[in-house]
Amino acid sequence: MDTPIKILMTAEVLKKRVEELGRHLSQTYEGQVPVLVGLLKGAVPFYADLARAMTIALEMQFMQVSSYGAGMKSSGQLKIQQHLTESIEDRQIILVDDIMDTGLTLFEIKEYLIKRGAKDVKICTLLDKPSRRLFPIHPDFIGFEIPDYFVVGYGLDYQERFRNLPYLGIYTP
Ligand code: IMP
Ligand code: MG
């Protein structure tokens, strides 16, 4: 059967880069205890691997938001479906997501975290699609910059499928 998915990055390539990012974050936040705020559901595989690649003390929290409908284009509206469960007052936050596309999600969530009293918010995404940006924001830590492909796997979905692929692929229906 023909698959609509072409491999963009293998599991080995992802693993190597995520481990590098983990080491870099550990050095950057040495002596501090950052809160890793992960965005469900897309960030899950990246978040789990990144956290385990970090060698410093950290805390974990999650939020769930949605900006996409079921398709391949953003709805342009953000809904918070699950809020933080513990205080982030005066904490250093590393906001972890799968991808920055238009920037809407992370722009709004960063504002939200600052309003909740965070001392500092830095953004870490596995992927960055800078050519799609509509909001004045940029990730502070990036795994890979990619062109305007629609990608799936390693957390990223098309209509909720393919999140469990261990690699990253380009989806062309
Ligand atoms: P933004 O708010 O436009 O930056 O979009 C962020 C969200 O859109 C991500 O967390 C993903 O859920 C989704 N998204 C953006 N690009 C892709 C893609 O290429 N594949 C799958 N999901 C994507
Ligand atoms: Mg999504």
Side-chain angles (χ1 to χ4, degrees):
M1 206 181 78
D2 242 16
T3 161
I5 298 170
K6 290 206 171 56
I7 295 192
L8 180 63
M9 285 164 209
T10 62
E12 289 69 30
V13 167
L14 292 171
K15 181 172 191 283
K16 187 162 170 273
R17 181 65 188 130
V18 174
E19 284 173 356
E20 273 171 18
L21 270 178
R23 277 196 296 276
H24 181 59
L25 288 172
S26 299
Q27 283 159 11
T28 306
Y29 288 86
E30 172 106 65
Q32 295 150 46
V33 185
V35 183
L36 252 58
V37 173
L39 299 190
L40 301 171
K41 295 174 270 189
V44 167
F46 174 50
Y47 183 104
D49 289 342
L50 183 69
R52 284 178 294 180
M54 290 177 69
T55 50
I56 57 168
L58 57 85
E59 291 178 20
M60 298 182 168
Q61 287 208 53
F62 298 92
M63 293 179 66
Q64 185 161 4
V65 302
S66 62
S67 68
Y68 265 39
M72 291 171 62
K73 283 259 147 61
S74 173
S75 68
Q77 276 194 354
L78 194 78
K79 268 212 317 246
I80 297 185
Q81 282 152 336
Q82 187 185 310
H83 287 260
L84 295 171
T85 47
E86 290 119 54
S87 168
I88 54 160
E89 189 115 25
D90 283 327
R91 301 300 301 269
Q92 278 165 309
I93 309 295
I94 306 174
L95 178 52
V96 180
D97 203 5
D98 49 3
I99 187 166
M100 188 182 283
D101 186 36
T102 67
L104 169 75
T105 308
L106 292 163
F107 184 82
E108 301 241 319
I109 298 304
K110 185 174 176 177
E111 290 295 298
Y112 169 93
L113 296 173
I114 290 165
K115 275 201 204 104
R116 302 269 300 226
K119 176 155 93 187
D120 178 66
V121 181
K122 295 273 190 285
I123 295 172
C124 177
T125 62
L126 176 71
L127 304 171
D128 184 22
K129 277 197 231 177
S131 64
R132 296 256 310 153
R133 201 62 36 78
L134 296 175
F135 291 79
I137 191 156
H138 188 74
D140 300 282
F141 307 98
I142 301 169
F144 304 91
E145 195 176 295
I146 61 167
D148 185 12
Y149 298 139
F150 191 84
V151 291
V152 295
Y154 200 61
L156 293 119
D157 72 302
Y158 174 65
Q159 297 187 345
E160 294 302 325
R161 288 184 54 195
F162 311 119
R163 293 192 196 276
N164 60 320
L165 296 177
Y167 55 87
L168 198 77
I170 301 172
Y171 183 79
T172 35

